[in-house]
Amino acid sequence: MYGCHGKLLRVDLSNSKVNEEEIPESMHRKYLGGAGLATRYLWDEVPKGAAPLGPENKLIFMAGSLTGVVAPSTGRFSIVAKSPQTGIWGQANSGGRWGVDFKRCGYDGIIFEGASSKPVYLVVEDNKAELKDASHLWGKNVPETTGLLKDELGEKFNVACIGQAGENLVKYAAVMNDLGRAAGRCGLGAVMGSKNLKAIAVRGSIKTPVSNPEELKVHSKKQYELMDEAMLKMAMQAFGTTVVLDLVSVRGGFPTRNWQSGVFEYSDDINGPAISDNILTKNITCFACPIECGRGTEISKGKYAGHKGEGPEYETVGTFGGMCFINDLEAITMAGYLCNDYGIDTISAGNTIAFAMECYEKGILTDSDTGGIAINFGDPDVIVDLVHLIARREGVGDLLAEGTMRMSQKLGQDSEDFAMHVKGLELPAYDSRAVQMTGLTYATANRGGDHITAYVQGPTFVDAPFLMIEDSEIKDPFVADPSEVKVAVDLEDMLTTFDCVGACKFMGLCLNADDWVKLVNLVTGWDFDTAEYKQAGERVYNLARAFSNREGLTAEGDTLPKRLLEEPLPDGPAEGHVNELSILLDKYYQLRGWDEQTGKPTAEKLRELSLDDIAAEIWS
Ligand code: SF4
């Protein structure tokens, strides 16, 4: 077997047992490794109706088939579980180099099952693994935990862990690795906390077998050279992911004051150039990635001066900045640092705080609810204070730790109308009223309100050489055109493959699809043509959907917050627009081969994807 070791660790936390298991080659190829393979295990092993924070749920870490090989941006791994935020399929993905160091231990994945009665961590080294007591780590944040484990085990160990947010079961707690990298979405840090699992420390020296190493070197070199010419690489190297802020603003789609507007008049204070001019100290990159989109930063002025760390990325700026109506770059940066230290997803945290601000403005949240804290739009200190409270579940932080969907259910008074989530997952910083196709992909994305399941940000981003779509043009982002829905479907399928093979989706915006598939084949020895490879992505996409259908997701769940459907943007280039979702949704279901009544993939579609057993179960 190439591109993998063909084995995983099964860790029974209830009984403190660690075992090795083989992964059949056929399963590897069928689901491409990474998130795809993990999703198959999730389907097979997590029973319908399992409580996301109960022992029946499983937490599955899986490296991709390309993780750690000589190819660009291949340092990623995925975590899959039933999400405590959404109650459906949950997946989070992270870069850095933890995934590479883990895979070099000689394993492709770990399945954690059950729950430990006391805090533990797992240490993995070449072909062996052991559970150890983590009592001394419980209550520590991410840098403290990482530092203590390195002191204990050796500097060369790399650590993935939760902070206090995961321990306290904050619904959007992240699993952190390499200090500042987050497997952030879907609350999988809370799943880890529910199992009393604090950390996984890894150090390995076992190389992944590669089918054709010589040709891989030559072909990879060519890809690195092509990337050097890619505009995206140059832009992200200079300004990080925040480079998109100005592009989003040009369309009037930068969510402001909890999505009450798409125009943030102070965006120049917090955009990519502002970060470079004021806080950037160095670029940070993931394993084998020439793009270097990460930001190493230090705050040099104001009350947070002297703090340093990683970020902010675009989503941190968008959620803590525009959504909370804050142009204080230092406070936004500090809130981001704290999220990294406590292990919190910044998208959900910033969005939830913005929701609380609007509730406070409307008198739905009062001083008696907040303990006297005035949660006002535009107050930079409030975002920092609230991150502390959320992570510790103290005071009003206990309410905010539940996320916007549960908060609105509790608060009532029509607050659900402006709770900006889909299926319980808070939306990222792109107002979909300014790009109709983004609204469709928010409504249908497998893990809920998500932007990278299909990154459809208008012509700038869909016009990428990677897309093997005959007509990939979105002519006018403001217009809901059913003839363009195929762009979204194809993007979802192709980008799914990145989470499976362990590569960064930004690569998809730089490279050619055929070249990329050749690279996958050179590593794995598989013989995919591009169409068959894309179909493997479609298979995984439908498998994840079927898991959520089994958990009760129906077509009704494929919708958007009322604000996006019924409140026109009041100003800017997208003024007057709402999401015209229904125009696109019918076509989407048709192209996907999903049943319009139940929202399930049809039995025919599942059989076409060689998922006969899934069809038999969900249509029984
Ligand atoms: S583009 Fe950014 S996130 Fe992706 S691998 Fe490179 S440095 Fe990491």
Side-chain angles (χ1 to χ4, degrees), residues 157-305:
F157 274 84
N158 198 344
V159 175
C161 66
I162 53 170
Q164 297 96 325
E167 295 175 11
N168 294 328
L169 309 182
V170 171
K171 286 289 188 311
Y172 41 91
V175 179
M176 303 298 298
N177 62 282
D178 297 85
L179 288 174
R181 294 275 141 177
R185 305 242 70 195
C186 298
L188 304 188
V191 178
M192 193 156 157
S194 74
K195 296 187 176 304
N196 266 324
L197 175 66
K198 180 68 180 175
I200 308 161
V202 299
R203 183 180 75 169
S205 61
I206 302 168
K207 284 204 173 144
T208 303
V210 167
S211 171
N212 191 336
E214 289 314 312
E215 210 183 321
L216 176 67
K217 251 186 237 164
V218 175
H219 190 62
S220 287
K221 187 164 174 278
K222 187 178 142 205
Q223 302 313 306
Y224 280 117
E225 284 163 6
L226 283 170
M227 283 178 76
D228 279 338
E229 291 160 23
M231 182 62 103
L232 182 100
K233 181 197 158 187
M234 294 173 215
M236 295 232 299
Q237 215 167 43
F239 300 120
T241 52
T242 37
V243 73
V244 302
L245 194 157
D246 294 327
L247 301 170
V248 171
S249 294
V250 162
R251 285 195 292 272
F254 188 61
T256 300
R257 294 176 67 92
N258 195 38
W259 305 68
Q260 294 183 76
S261 165
V263 178
F264 185 55
E265 62 205 279
Y266 306 110
S267 62
D268 285 352
D269 297 340
I270 59 172
N271 63 6
I275 288 172
S276 297
D277 290 347
N278 292 294
I279 55 172
L280 183 70
T281 53
K282 62 178 178 185
N283 287 7
I284 294 180
T285 198
C286 302
F287 173 82
C289 182
I291 296 179
E292 300 178 352
C293 77
R295 307 286 90 180
T297 52
E298 180 166 0
I299 302 172
S300 61
K301 60 177 193 259
K303 68 193 286 189
Y304 307 113

Side-chain angles (χ1 to χ4, degrees), residues 30-51:
K30 186 167 179 180
Y31 302 105
L32 299 176
L37 190 56
T39 300
R40 181 69 220 200
Y41 278 105
L42 190 80
W43 170 274
D44 287 339
E45 298 191 11
V46 173
K48 177 181 175 182

Side-chain angles (χ1 to χ4, degrees), residues 562-585:
K562 195 171 175 188
R563 171 157 286 166
L564 298 180
L565 294 171
E566 295 185 12
E567 272 184 44
L569 275 165
D571 48 14
E575 182 181 345
H577 288 284
V578 294
N579 274 118
E580 297 173 69
L581 181 62
S582 58
I583 295 175
L584 303 175
L585 209 48

Side-chain angles (χ1 to χ4, degrees), residues 227-553:
M227 283 178 76
D228 279 338
E229 291 160 23
M231 182 62 103
L232 182 100
K233 181 197 158 187
M234 294 173 215
M236 295 232 299
Q237 215 167 43
F239 300 120
T241 52
T242 37
V243 73
V244 302
L245 194 157
D246 294 327
L247 301 170
V248 171
S249 294
V250 162
R251 285 195 292 272
F254 188 61
T256 300
R257 294 176 67 92
N258 195 38
W259 305 68
Q260 294 183 76
S261 165
V263 178
F264 185 55
E265 62 205 279
Y266 306 110
S267 62
D268 285 352
D269 297 340
I270 59 172
N271 63 6
I275 288 172
S276 297
D277 290 347
N278 292 294
I279 55 172
L280 183 70
T281 53
K282 62 178 178 185
N283 287 7
I284 294 180
T285 198
C286 302
F287 173 82
C289 182
I291 296 179
E292 300 178 352
C293 77
R295 307 286 90 180
T297 52
E298 180 166 0
I299 302 172
S300 61
K301 60 177 193 259
K303 68 193 286 189
Y304 307 113
H307 287 273
K308 53 183 158 184
E310 199 165 330
E313 308 303 324
Y314 170 70
E315 297 300 339
T316 309
V317 164
T319 54
F320 284 112
M323 287 186 203
C324 296
F325 203 62
I326 284 165
N327 67 337
D328 182 329
L329 183 60
E330 284 72 28
I332 293 166
T333 304
M334 188 66 205
Y337 290 166
L338 288 173
C339 285
N340 286 349
D341 290 356
Y342 283 122
I344 295 178
D345 174 35
T346 60
I347 298 178
S348 287
N351 205 318
T352 299
I353 292 172
F355 172 68
M357 287 172 165
E358 188 167 348
C359 287
Y360 188 77
E361 188 175 68
K362 289 183 156 67
I364 297 170
L365 259 183
T366 64
D367 285 340
S368 70
D369 299 313
T370 67
I373 303 170
I375 304 183
N376 286 319
F377 281 115
D379 184 338
D381 292 338
V382 163
I383 57 170
V384 174
D385 294 344
L386 285 177
V387 173
H388 285 297
L389 295 179
I390 290 167
R392 297 173 189 155
R393 278 190 176 269
E394 286 174 4
V396 72
D398 192 39
L399 177 66
L400 269 69
E402 292 296 296
T404 54
M405 179 178 75
R406 288 174 180 80
M407 275 180 76
S408 67
Q409 286 164 352
K410 188 160 183 207
L411 293 169
Q413 301 178 67
D414 296 329
S415 59
E416 175 65 19
D417 294 355
F418 56 89
M420 306 307 288
H421 68 89
V422 170
K423 302 181 176 82
L425 192 69
E426 286 77 15
L427 292 171
Y430 304 88
D431 195 313
S432 52
R433 288 168 290 188
V435 180
Q436 291 290 332
M437 204 58 75
T438 294
L440 174 71
T441 59
Y442 281 168
T444 56
N446 267 328
R447 62 180 178 182
D450 181 42
H451 60 303
I452 49 171
T453 300
Y455 196 71
V456 198
Q457 276 300 303
T460 316
F461 290 101
V462 292
D463 186 23
F466 172 76
L467 298 173
M468 37 172 299
I469 303 168
E470 307 82 66
D471 181 6
S472 70
E473 195 188 1
I474 288 187
K475 292 172 214 71
D476 183 346
F478 296 145
V479 175
D481 182 350
S483 73
E484 294 169 348
V485 168
K486 192 168 183 304
V487 175
V489 174
D490 284 355
L491 257 176
E492 287 170 348
D493 292 343
M494 280 305 257
L495 290 181
T496 294
T497 67
F498 278 76
D499 289 340
C500 298
V501 300
C504 184
K505 287 179 177 175
F506 287 132
M507 294 296 299
L509 302 171
C510 300
L511 300 182
N512 174 285
D514 294 336
D515 278 351
W516 183 257
V517 176
K518 181 177 175 187
L519 210 137
V520 172
N521 287 337
L522 289 170
V523 173
T524 59
W526 296 333
D527 55 356
F528 282 118
D529 63 27
T530 306
E532 196 192 353
Y533 180 74
K534 179 160 157 275
Q535 194 190 41
E538 186 186 4
R539 179 180 301 124
V540 171
Y541 200 84
N542 279 272
L543 177 61
R545 175 78 181 189
F547 177 87
S548 298
N549 292 136
R550 191 171 69 178
E551 293 299 330
L553 176 69

